[in-house]
Amino acid sequence: MGSVFFHHPRFPYIFISSNFNRHFPATHFRQRWISNGYWAIGVSESGAGNLFNETAIKGNANGSLLGSFEESNSAPFGTVDAEITPETIDFFVSDADGDPDCPSEGFSSIEQAINTLRAGKFVIVVDDENEDIEGNLVMAASFISPRALAFMIKHGSGIVSVGMQANDLERLKLPLMSPETGDDDSSAPTFTITVDAKSGTLTGVSAADRAKTVLALSSPNSKPEDFRRPGHVFPLKYRNGGVLRRAGHTEASVDLVILAKLQPVSVLSAIVDPDDGSMASVDTLRKLSLEHSIPMISITDLIRYRRKRERLVVRKAVSRLPTKWGLFQAYSYHSKLDGTEHLAVVKGNIGNGQDVLVRVHSECLTGDIFGSARCDCGNQLDLAMQLIEQAGKGVLVYLRGHEGRGIGLGHKLQAYNLQDQGHDTVEANLELGLAVDAREYGIGAQILRDVGVRTMRLMTNNPAKFIGLKGYGLAVVGRIPVFTPITKENEKYLETKRTKMGHVYGSDIQGSLAGFVDPNVRNPDPPQEEQKI
């Protein structure tokens, strides 16, 4: 068996075999790979010292990195091959987890909600992302009636809000009640001053009067002088981008009526418990949904639905990019959501887009630029670029705004301080009140589609990327683990990602990248049911 050896700081001789030398000449590895200290893909039982034996991987939760290494310190070397591992095979199947059109368990589909709103009926919209759950009754404002509004008052908090776009609020001269809750505070609802319709209303507080106010707000022909200020109806400013920018009920309600191709004005009210007036629980919401045949949808499902169908990035430029790994093409993309610029680095002709070697890489300033030893990001980026260059065809998508798994550079440095005090990377994020992993890969999926990728072999250790890339006309047909040196600084970090975040350190390809690598390629020099209401 021919073998090529990799250098690893704790294991001076690690070999990769399974005919790998047919595709990667040994001389090339000595010149470029060993100097960077890289190693790769699971270890077989042949040769002395099986660092990643089958028992270690399958019996120790995705293959303990540290435990296997410690047990093999006496071994002079091990040989590396690639086997399909059961831990990740399920990620290659199109199932509910990755289908943006499949509703979460216990919820109705977005399509059903759209059709229901189009028919002039209610839907229940639920923010199911945290323990402080809130469900809102939502209807298209142009369909409101005194009877429907009475139903909202009966089951809601009594506050009737109207979601409106900025241009309509400006047309009606409705400023924010508190300017401080504008775009600078993305979590706060943006109430304007309250109003009552002047025409045909008395005190403005009855269901009939409030229904007339809601209808007047929804009319494109209304004028500022048609309203009294203050009043009993609460307009809310919809943030451009909707739930893709803010996962709130205002944005969800307006998004839904827009998807229903109705006037982009919604009416909504928070549902409360009928006994004590607290926010209604999930069980209470489901009971109301069943009793009155009202579809109940999740804001999370609406986000997935929109991300599948709407173009979130615009290609701005394409340029020749000579690099230390070889010659690539750089594609610049502009996010329509927040203005962030992302990059795709493309090697060769993608052709029909089948079986393309792909890496979706999250920005890490400290690792990618400054070579931080706390993480493996910079080494993973380097290794991915080398593999793509050797394959002669592939794509690396560089997603900006993912610093620290989405928490930002400043928070990441704060998390580092907590890690120095004994917290692991997950505990540090939670201690700061931040998400363990706030990254989202929908934009990356759209970039891959734009450069021509259809099926891919994904270079990752993170199963979340499989789910994040599904449902966008893409298929992940295999996974290539990305192994980089374990050091004293990053070993706890890597082990935490395995044990707490589900990262998998086995391989899903047979024949060690066979089929990816063009043996002729050489690296150049660095260059509808009736609702009962």
Side-chain angles (χ1 to χ4, degrees):
M1 177 186 297
S3 298
V4 174
F5 60 85
F6 284 70
H7 176 263
H8 182 275
R10 295 173 67 175
F11 303 98
Y13 302 105
I14 295 182
F15 285 70
I16 183 162
S17 59
S18 297
N19 297 319
F20 218 87
N21 58 319
R22 290 184 304 172
H23 307 297
F24 294 98
T27 54
H28 176 77
F29 276 94
R30 290 189 180 96
Q31 291 172 359
R32 295 191 52 138
W33 284 62
I34 296 175
S35 64
N36 287 294
Y38 290 124
W39 56 287
I41 317 177
V43 178
S44 76
E45 297 183 11
S46 58
N50 176 16
L51 306 185
F52 284 106
N53 59 60
E54 186 176 86
T55 302
I57 292 179
K58 296 182 179 178
N60 195 9
N62 298 340
S64 170
L65 291 172
L66 306 183
S68 296
F69 289 148
E70 296 297 340
E71 292 169 5
S72 58
N73 278 338
S74 60
F77 64 88
T79 60
V80 179
D81 62 13
E83 297 180 2
I84 294 177
T85 55
E87 288 84 2
T88 57
I89 194 71
D90 289 341
F91 290 116
F92 309 142
V93 182
S94 179
D95 54 24
D97 288 336
D99 182 0
D101 289 341
C102 183
S104 300
E105 185 176 356
F107 292 94
S108 302
S109 70
I110 301 302
E111 286 290 348
Q112 182 181 356
I114 292 169
N115 291 332
T116 300
L117 289 170
R118 194 177 288 136
K121 301 176 183 178
F122 282 114
V123 299
I124 295 173
V125 177
V126 178
D127 172 8
D128 62 334
E129 290 300 303
N130 52 62
E131 295 180 0
D132 300 322
I133 191 168
E134 180 180 331
N136 277 217
L137 279 168
V138 170
M139 178 182 278
S142 56
F143 284 135
I144 198 68
S145 67
R147 183 164 177 257
L149 203 139
F151 184 84
M152 296 184 82
I153 295 171
K154 177 181 178 180
H155 296 282
S157 64
I159 296 176
V160 175
S161 301
V162 177
M164 303 178 68
Q165 294 179 321
N167 58 329
D168 286 326
L169 294 173
E170 291 167 4
R171 174 175 55 84
L172 298 177
K173 297 182 179 179
L174 296 177
L176 292 180
M177 190 181 295
S178 175
E180 289 78 13
T181 61
D183 288 344
D184 290 340
D185 185 357
S186 62
S187 64
T190 47
F191 287 99
T192 75
I193 58 174
T194 56
V195 296
D196 285 337
K198 290 181 179 178
S199 177
T201 63
L202 298 174
T203 64
V205 71
S206 69
D209 283 0
R210 283 196 265 185
K212 288 177 181 177
T213 300
V214 171
L215 287 171
L217 288 169
S218 71
S219 170
N221 300 317
S222 292
K223 299 177 178 61
E225 55 268 26
D226 294 334
F227 300 94
R228 289 191 297 266
R229 303 161 173 82
H232 296 87
V233 173
F234 293 72
L236 282 163
K237 182 181 179 181
Y238 165 88
R239 286 182 171 86
N240 289 336
V243 294
L244 301 184
R245 182 174 180 187
R246 176 181 180 266
H249 292 85
T250 305
E251 286 69 29
S253 63
V254 175
D255 280 351
L256 285 167
V257 296
I258 291 173
L259 289 168
K261 294 181 169 53
L262 301 171
Q263 188 69 18
V265 184
S266 65
V267 57
L268 62 157
S269 184
I271 302 169
V272 299
D273 187 279
D275 296 324
D276 61 14
S278 62
M279 298 306 297
S281 65
V282 174
D283 289 341
T284 300
L285 295 172
R286 289 208 169 103
K287 181 179 179 182
L288 182 67
S289 170
L290 291 171
E291 286 180 352
H292 298 278
S293 302
I294 304 174
M296 185 168 79
I297 64 108
S298 155
I299 291 179
T300 299
D301 289 347
L302 179 58
I303 292 170
R304 292 193 297 137
Y305 183 93
R306 281 196 58 194
R307 283 196 178 278
K308 177 179 177 180
R309 287 163 174 79
E310 299 177 29
R311 188 170 181 83
L312 308 178
V313 290
V314 177
R315 188 197 293 185
K316 303 298 288 188
V318 181
S319 173
R320 175 176 166 271
L321 184 66
T323 73
K324 65 181 181 180
W325 302 284
L327 180 62
F328 293 80
Q329 292 287 318
Y331 291 65
S332 170
Y333 290 88
H334 178 85
S335 169
K336 295 166 69 174
L337 299 181
D338 57 14
T340 300
E341 289 187 311
H342 304 281
L343 186 72
V345 181
V346 180
K347 179 71 180 181
N349 182 1
I350 301 303
N352 63 4
Q354 302 300 310
D355 291 336
V356 180
L357 190 59
V358 167
R359 165 77 180 166
V360 178
H361 190 87
S362 296
E363 177 185 30
C364 176
L365 179 71
T366 53
D368 297 341
I369 304 301
F370 295 104
S372 169
R374 285 182 177 268
C375 66
D376 55 347
C377 303
N379 288 338
Q380 286 188 337
L381 176 63
D382 198 359
L383 177 56
M385 291 295 288
Q386 291 189 45
L387 287 174
I388 290 172
E389 173 63 24
Q390 284 297 310
K393 181 179 81 171
V395 179
L396 185 139
V397 175
Y398 195 85
L399 293 178
R400 300 183 60 218
H402 277 201
E403 191 74 49
R405 299 194 302 274
I407 66 174
L409 181 60
H411 284 140
K412 183 171 80 169
L413 297 182
Q414 291 177 327
Y416 282 170
N417 290 333
L418 290 173
Q419 290 171 35
D420 287 341
Q421 297 169 20
H423 294 71
D424 63 35
T425 183
V426 169
E427 293 165 349
N429 280 30
L430 296 176
E431 180 73 16
L432 292 170
L434 303 170
V436 172
D437 193 338
R439 293 173 295 181
E440 200 284 331
Y441 300 101
I443 282 181
Q446 292 199 354
I447 291 173
L448 288 170
R449 284 280 301 178
D450 187 73
V451 299
V453 174
R454 296 299 178 266
T455 69
M456 72 188 88
R457 305 275 179 170
L458 191 62
M459 290 184 280
T460 186
N461 305 324
N462 183 5
K465 290 186 180 178
F466 290 93
I467 296 173
L469 295 174
K470 282 182 177 180
Y472 294 86
L474 296 169
V476 180
V477 297
R479 182 182 69 88
I480 299 169
V482 187
F483 291 162
T484 57
I486 295 178
T487 68
K488 186 175 181 179
E489 291 285 352
N490 71 19
E491 61 180 6
K492 183 178 179 181
Y493 166 78
L494 294 176
E495 182 70 351
T496 300
K497 289 205 296 184
R498 183 189 69 82
T499 58
K500 292 189 175 182
M501 301 181 66
H503 284 217
V504 182
Y505 297 103
S507 173
D508 301 303
I509 56 170
Q510 296 179 349
S512 301
L513 293 181
F516 284 112
V517 180
D518 182 349
N520 297 317
V521 172
R522 295 289 184 272
N523 274 350
D525 292 332
Q528 302 302 322
E529 184 179 347
E530 187 67 28
Q531 293 180 354
K532 299 179 280 294
I533 63 173

